Amino acid sequence: MDILSISFPSVFENTFGNTESSAKDLLNGLKIKKDEAWYIVGNLAKKGGISPYKITNASPAEEDFDVLFRSALINLTDKIEQPMALTVGFPFSTYNVYKNAAEQFLKKRHFMVEYDTKTFNTLGVIKRSMFDLDTYDVIPEIVGCIIGLKKLLNEKAPVNFMAISLGFGTIEGGMASEDGLIHRTCFSSHGIQYAIDNLNRELNKTHYLNMQNVHQLDDAMMKASIFVDRKKVDLKDVRKNILKQYYKQIITPLLRKFFSNQDFETCEKIYLMGGGAFYPELVDAFKEEFNDSIPVEIAPEPEKLASIGYLYNSLRISDRNYKRSVGLDIGNATTVISTFQSNVAQPLQSTSVEAGTLPIQ
């Protein structure tokens, strides 16, 4: 069964004036209306906005979640059958607080989205589409990552492993065993934004950054360069130092606090996932600490794993209806939507998950 995962940056901004012919397609030309205001979202906001933003770890009751949720929905047109089965998730640090709010949001079940297609089509118009929700679930992000990892690895998945998601807003971690998730080992703390904030402080000592926000600095961090006063500033050395300190000050204490010697003894592999897995400095730091005893690997599709795991959870709650299942990960840096793209259903691996428990097998 093929999986299609599409994504856009989790940023948006109020827009005024003309935005016609500013993108190549819907995904890159997201412009939606909420209440009486229009918003440009994702890549269109990054390119056409002044200071596109998203509140880190925003509640489902806030505008940020609503705008990004509706922007994700319009990308599902012609990809699924309705009413859909949907799964979303949150980091452990906010899961218990936000789960009820998310369920209240999804209980609406009917979502009308008004959007502008003139951003990518010269003959475009204002459209309104209705999306209907049948079943839904809200699960922890790390559980989604583990489900996604096990499904992608299939029979190659080890029995006992550590999953560490290096996200923008949070770092998530936990250990999976043959019996399920070991909750004692689960943690959630400061994500890559911690390092980006330090980058901001360091650059402000010598440069005027023209009020760039944390999401714009995130792009600079990833590219390891930034333009200031029309000159390119190399960030490789400062990025290396900042990420080294991030590992030492945030990650190392978490590993020592939540994982015992017995956990390390039984652990067959450490999988790194999330957008932070693309930073070689962080991967090298893990390998330097563990490679003598535990192999460290970047998980397949590291930035998509949560969404893929949510998708398989949606398949479970929809009685295995591939055509209606959706996994939606509204991340702090990126929103990822996953769907199945084949008409030929294949049997899933059997699980022993009881009703009401979190499936990670």
Side-chain angles (χ1 to χ4, degrees), residues 58-352:
S59 162
E62 295 183 86
E63 178 182 68
D64 302 54
F65 186 90
D66 197 343
V67 169
L68 294 172
F69 179 83
R70 293 174 186 273
S71 299
L73 288 184
I74 63 175
N75 282 283
L76 292 172
T77 305
D78 300 328
K79 291 185 176 67
I80 61 163
E81 293 181 358
Q82 298 195 50
M84 72 182 83
L86 176 72
T87 299
V88 299
F90 297 95
F92 259 109
S93 58
T94 61
Y95 174 73
N96 290 325
V97 178
Y98 290 170
K99 184 176 186 291
N100 183 62
E103 290 175 343
Q104 291 300 316
F105 179 89
L106 297 173
K107 278 182 181 178
K108 300 173 186 176
R109 296 191 181 273
H110 307 290
F111 299 89
M112 194 278 289
V113 185
E114 186 172 1
Y115 59 104
D116 188 355
T117 64
K118 295 192 293 294
T119 58
F120 61 92
N121 186 347
T122 55
L123 301 178
V125 295
I126 305 297
K127 288 188 175 182
R128 294 179 179 85
S129 293
M130 180 64 74
F131 297 88
D132 297 321
L133 189 59
D134 180 19
T135 57
Y136 58 85
D137 200 3
V138 184
I139 66 176
E141 178 183 327
I142 193 64
V143 172
C145 288
I146 293 173
I147 295 172
L149 178 65
K150 286 197 168 189
K151 293 301 182 182
L152 291 185
L153 292 177
N154 203 0
E155 71 277 359
K156 297 179 181 179
V159 175
N160 302 300
F161 62 89
M162 293 182 188
I164 299 177
S165 178
L166 302 163
F168 177 84
T170 59
I171 175 175
E172 302 276 302
M175 187 161 180
S177 70
E178 59 182 343
D179 297 319
L181 185 65
I182 302 176
H183 283 262
R184 167 183 55 80
T185 66
C186 295
F187 63 82
S188 182
S189 188
H190 302 287
I192 300 299
Q193 185 177 344
Y194 179 95
I196 295 169
D197 288 340
N198 285 333
L199 174 67
N200 186 23
R201 296 184 186 98
E202 188 67 20
L203 290 177
N204 270 320
K205 295 192 311 187
T206 54
H207 299 87
Y208 171 56
L209 299 180
N210 195 26
M211 295 177 285
Q212 294 195 45
N213 65 33
V214 66
H215 296 282
Q216 292 165 327
L217 289 174
D218 179 35
D219 289 338
M221 183 86 156
M222 183 61 70
K223 293 182 294 185
S225 65
I226 189 173
F227 268 84
V228 180
D229 294 329
R230 295 177 293 179
K231 295 180 181 179
K232 186 176 182 179
V233 178
D234 189 287
L235 300 179
K236 289 187 180 68
D237 289 339
V238 67
R239 186 180 86 169
K240 181 178 180 179
N241 292 334
I242 286 173
L243 289 175
K244 182 178 180 180
Q245 286 302 111
Y246 171 67
Y247 186 89
K248 179 180 178 181
Q249 295 175 2
I250 300 297
I251 298 178
T252 294
L254 290 170
L255 298 177
R256 290 178 177 174
K257 179 178 180 180
F258 289 92
F259 297 108
S260 67
N261 286 327
Q262 183 179 359
D263 295 327
F264 289 120
E265 182 179 357
T266 59
C267 180
E268 300 172 57
K269 193 168 291 186
I270 296 174
Y271 286 102
L272 304 181
M273 46 196 73
F278 292 113
Y279 286 112
E281 298 90 343
L282 289 179
V283 177
D284 290 343
F286 275 98
K287 288 183 176 181
E288 287 174 10
E289 183 166 357
F290 291 106
N291 250 8
D292 288 342
S293 54
I294 307 173
V296 177
E297 285 189 15
I298 299 175
E301 309 274 15
E303 78 285 15
K304 301 175 183 177
L305 275 183
S307 177
I308 292 172
Y310 298 160
L311 173 64
Y312 275 101
N313 188 69
S314 294
L315 184 65
R316 178 182 67 88
I317 64 176
S318 69
D319 293 328
R320 298 186 178 184
N321 191 317
Y322 288 84
K323 297 179 182 180
R324 295 195 296 110
S325 300
V326 179
L328 174 57
D329 176 23
I330 303 179
N332 287 303
T334 306
T335 294
V336 186
I337 314 112
S338 294
T339 56
F340 292 108
Q341 292 298 300
S342 174
N343 292 324
V344 180
Q346 297 179 357
L348 292 176
Q349 294 178 340
S350 61
T351 70
S352 59

